[in-house]
Amino acid sequence: MMTTRNIVLLLLSITVVAQIVLYTDPLGTFRYPFAEQEVIEAVTAFAVSGSNSGHLNLLSQEFSAGLEEPSGFVHTEDTTNTKNLPRGFLFPKQGEHASARVLSATNEVGQTKGENPIKLVTEGIKRGNQSSKLEKYDTTGDSVNGEDAIDVDDNEGKLAKSFDASDQASETLDTKQEQQHTESSGKITKKGPLLLETNKHNDPTPADARLRQLKDQLIQAKVYLSLQAVRNIPHVTRELRLRVKEVSRTLGDASKDSDLPRNANERMKAMEQILMKGRQVQNDCAAAVKKLRAMLHSTEEQLRVHKKQTLFLTQLIAKTVPKGLHCLPLRLTTEYYSLNTSQQQFPNQQKLEDPRLYHYAIFSDNILATAVVVNSTVAHAKDTSKHVFHIVTDRLNYAAMRMWFLVNPPRKATIQVENIEDFTWLNSSYSPVLKQLGSPSMIDFYFKTHRASSDSNLKFRNPKYLSILNHLRFYLPEIFPKLNKVLFLDDDIVVQKDLTGLWSIDLKGNVNGAVETCRESFHRFDRYLNFSNPLIAKNFDPNACGWAYGMNIFDLVQWKKQNITEVYHNWQKLNHDRRLWKLGTLPPGLITFWKRTFPLHRSWHVLGLGYNPNTNQKEIERAAVIHYNGNMKPWLEITIPKFRGYWTKYVDHDLVYLRECNINP
């Protein structure tokens, strides 16, 4: 009996000892059957992204699947007990995740020759138990201080703090290998806090951060309201609709956070709470994505329609005459014909053909705009008695234009107002453009409304191109046969400096002095001319620099010598079917004065005030002439408000005619 008992005990002892011997060495020398780098990357992603317990369980399953033999893994929920931790291990602060450095350091230890990782960790724990308190690694050593290891993600703007959980065994690693692994896996740097502070300084919170968040919440709420799963729950639907109304009222017309009401934060929090309920109800991401795509498509379509409507309405208002400007010529015409013949004459008419004076040519049917051009020029002239303004208008506005300057003479400057109908030499037999403007095809192009929708470029349908006043600039020698130089001015400009210096500029044999506009690519020749036509492609350079009409000094002596008017006529005949360029005066001007234009300094003429709100303010202040080219003229309601003051200060608001016509520039 005793012998049997001893045999049984011996067998049991052998069984226990055998298990210890068999399992201890394999575990000590165990290598993961899958790639070590894959493990490191997986755990790194987990640590940086702040995974929850579900991610942890998934990761544990992957590890378990890779092990061929069972291992005793103990998981403790007590994260506050630090007594049994290895030296140098620090718990992350609440809400933070340990960095991949924890596993990467352990992995590197396992790669050292002849080292047992479990044995090293065990020894580290023993040494940690002998220490009375935790010690941080020196930042100059192989490890990185937990407070200095900050990973900055530039794309998402998220920060993940990293802490060193390796034990004393990691001191056997090579320093360079540690640094390289740190850069590749976690991109951890010792200068993390400094980089963080720099990024915060260089990338301040946008002024509309809360505004954007509220708009995003509004979009999310509308998506949830459109989903069937949410609509099936009445109380969630009601609260969503309520929050949508509140947030919509909160947004109002705000353009930045400071415009939001005081209760914006409260409504933002309330909206976020109901959105969380919506997320719990609606867990079908595919349906939400589908709805968002539909909303995006619908928004893009609405934007396209609105852009088209805006273009049409802008062109329409640019063609129309405001009620006040329509009233003004009627009132002035009535007053003019009440005068006797002697009162209708301008003084100093002997100066009109004196080539020693400074002569200006203005062709316009807009009385108020012409008045601003004359007033602003005279206001900056050193000697107004030497300035002569030649104004040509149409028959409808002739009497009104004369009456305006009879009542409002520009100091000592000389004024001449002519009627284009009196230019008997300007007829369709002499001018090809006059013949074209009166042709049935041209009238059909402008006045057949059924074609308006098919024409992609509505600006070329502006009736101003039907006016011969717009083409009169090509007949300056015929209008002023005894003058040597003339400064041409558009009626949508404002003069800010004395312009007499333009007459002393040597044009070097050129006919036209103008400011070039090729700083932008769309102001080159290929923008205005049809280079698919061989006639254009053969004679001109598509990349040639364009220039601006609006303020041009013309040498009439060279004009006559080079027979410029005839050049203009020849090209107009070739363009009878509008195949070379669309309508307008700039394209034929570019052609007519090709290689005959002298570039003036940019400060003489600044453009864009009629279409570009981003026109440089300093350039505007320094400019001799500012030009409201574009549809947003300063006398229209659609003008750019911040630029309107440059124009209105040259309008006399006390004039009785302006008050009677209710004109308030």
Side-chain angles (χ1 to χ4, degrees), residues 51 87 123 129 155 252 295 335 415 460 466 539 551 597:
S51 303
R87 258 173 81 185
E123 292 176 356
N129 290 335
N155 293 328
M295 291 174 64
E335 294 291 333
I415 289 289
F460 293 117
L466 277 174
N539 290 278
M551 189 217 70
T597 300

Side-chain angles (χ1 to χ4, degrees), residues 13 19 48 156 160 183 211 214 377 397 411 432-433 563 612 656:
S13 301
Q19 288 180 354
V48 173
E156 300 294 333
E183 292 175 0
L211 192 71
L214 283 169
T377 304
N397 294 281
R411 300 185 188 178
V433 70
N563 201 11
N612 182 13
V656 62

Side-chain angles (χ1 to χ4, degrees), residues 16-115:
V16 173
V17 173
Q19 288 180 354
I20 294 174
V21 172
L22 289 172
Y23 280 91
T24 302
D25 186 65
L27 284 176
T29 59
F30 177 74
R31 306 289 291 185
Y32 295 128
F34 45 84
E36 297 171 351
Q37 186 61 31
E38 294 178 4
V39 178
I40 295 170
E41 292 175 357
V43 180
T44 302
F46 160 75
V48 173
S49 62
S51 303
N52 55 21
S53 58
H55 292 86
L56 181 59
N57 293 335
L58 180 60
L59 193 60
S60 300
Q61 292 173 8
E62 293 178 357
F63 270 86
S64 300
L67 294 176
E68 296 178 355
E69 300 183 44
S71 61
F73 178 76
V74 180
H75 175 72
T76 176
E77 297 294 337
D78 185 9
T79 58
T80 59
N81 186 5
T82 60
K83 292 181 180 180
N84 296 324
L85 293 178
R87 258 173 81 185
F89 185 88
L90 292 178
F91 271 112
K93 297 177 182 179
Q94 186 175 2
E96 298 172 347
H97 297 277
S99 170
R101 291 288 308 279
V102 177
L103 283 129
S104 65
T106 305
N107 185 59
E108 289 173 350
V109 173
Q111 292 179 358
T112 58
K113 295 181 179 181
E115 296 284 354

